[in-house]
Structures are given as C-alpha cells and as structure tokens.
Amino acid sequence: MTRFADLDPTTQRSRMEERIRVYFDGCNEADVDKMAAQFTPDAVHYFPPGIKGPWIGARTIGENWRRLTLTAGSAWYIERVIAEPQSLQAVIEWTHWRTRYGTYLRGDEWYRFDPETGLITEIRAFYASAADGRDEVALEGYDYEGLGYRFTPAVPRPHPEAEYDA
C-alpha cells in the first residue's frame, strides 16, 4: 500500500478535502462510526478556552459531536477549504448552527493528516469571536451575505433522533 505522503499532490489534496467532508457528513448525520473512521485512533480536537477540550480519541470526537447534534440541534456547513499537500495540512471555514437555541457561530479549523494513512491526526478550532451568549457569533462588518455564505443549515433540524422538541 502506498503511503499517503508519497501520493501525488493532486490526489493528496483531493483525499484531504474528501476526508474532511465525510467527517462533516458524519457530524450532520450524528454517525459516530463515520466520524471516527476519518481519524487516527489517538487524534486530538483542540478548542478555544471554555469548551472543555481537548477531545482525545477518534470515538470521543464522534461521540461528542453526536451528543451535540442530538441535544443542541447542531448542524454544520463547510464554507471554504484549502488543502496543502506539502505540509499535509488543511484549513476550512465553517458555520455551526445550534438550531435548538436559534444560534450559530462561524470559525476556522486547521487539520493535520497522518503521512502513512491520510487520516486526520489533529484539529485546532478557532471561532470568529468568543461564544459569549450572542445568537450570532461572526466577524463584525464582514459581508457574509454578499460573499454567498449560508444563513440556514444545509441539513434538516431537529435530527430524527434529537433529544429535544423543535
């Protein structure tokens, strides 16, 4: 089997983006196995202060996102992706809705990929600003609408297995 780091850059870039998108599909579907399959077993997901992180382990990451999908109505959308094969890193810009509460936030995540397998080894999340109770957490003055950003989840909420009423 060819090492991920030895693949041509176009293939690496495509697989990195696909892995991130499948992970987000798993988040939106509340599918722990689908999410966990995108990570090395010992992967780490870091967060800004106050989020009770980091989350360590592929299954822990998946289980925590499933819980938020089912309790907070979480839904995600990837707005932008940049993948850099030379460093086996990618960065995305996303929107995260918490539909149960009528709130959303925007942020970025940096990804690192395992050179052997191409699985995600690390995510570092950065939010547009502190999640301090506002309904909208986004950059002030940025033309999200004019640049085509979504303002509603791309998936239906509540999730069919949600633990709350709409």
Side-chain angles (χ1 to χ4, degrees):
M1 181 171 163
T2 304
R3 294 176 67 237
F4 183 74
D6 295 334
L7 297 172
D8 67 273
T10 301
T11 300
Q12 288 173 326
R13 183 176 291 109
S14 175
R15 289 188 184 175
M16 291 161 71
E17 181 171 346
E18 179 182 2
R19 184 145 329 267
I20 293 168
R21 290 190 183 280
V22 170
Y23 162 55
F24 269 68
D25 288 345
C27 290
N28 283 320
E29 297 162 10
D31 185 332
V32 173
D33 292 333
K34 189 172 195 175
M35 286 181 269
Q38 308 315 306
F39 293 92
T40 58
D42 59 347
V44 180
H45 195 320
Y46 296 95
F47 296 93
I51 307 298
K52 298 182 182 173
W55 296 346
I56 300 171
R59 292 219 48 94
T60 298
I61 294 167
E63 289 165 356
N64 285 339
W65 287 133
R66 175 180 168 78
R67 179 180 47 80
L68 285 171
T69 298
L70 301 183
T71 60
S74 288
W76 297 266
Y77 185 76
I78 298 172
E79 304 285 354
R80 309 280 190 275
V81 177
I82 298 173
E84 183 184 75
Q86 300 86 337
S87 67
L88 298 181
Q89 294 185 85
V91 64
I92 69 167
E93 189 175 23
W94 47 256
T95 302
H96 174 185
W97 290 272
R98 292 173 280 191
T99 61
R100 180 179 184 181
Y101 310 110
T103 64
Y104 71 89
L105 64 113
R106 300 194 190 272
D108 295 320
E109 288 178 342
W110 280 88
Y111 289 76
R112 291 182 55 202
F113 295 85
D114 178 66
E116 297 297 323
T117 64
L119 295 171
I120 299 165
T121 62
E122 177 183 283
I123 301 175
R124 294 178 320 239
F126 301 92
Y127 302 162
S129 60
D132 61 3
R134 286 179 266 178
D135 289 343
E136 299 175 359
V137 179
L139 295 172
E140 292 180 331
Y142 191 74
D143 187 11
Y144 288 103
E145 185 174 8
L147 293 168
Y149 285 75
R150 291 190 62 91
F151 282 83
T152 58
V155 295
R157 286 295 179 257
H159 186 278
E161 299 172 36
E163 299 172 4
Y164 67 95
D165 295 323

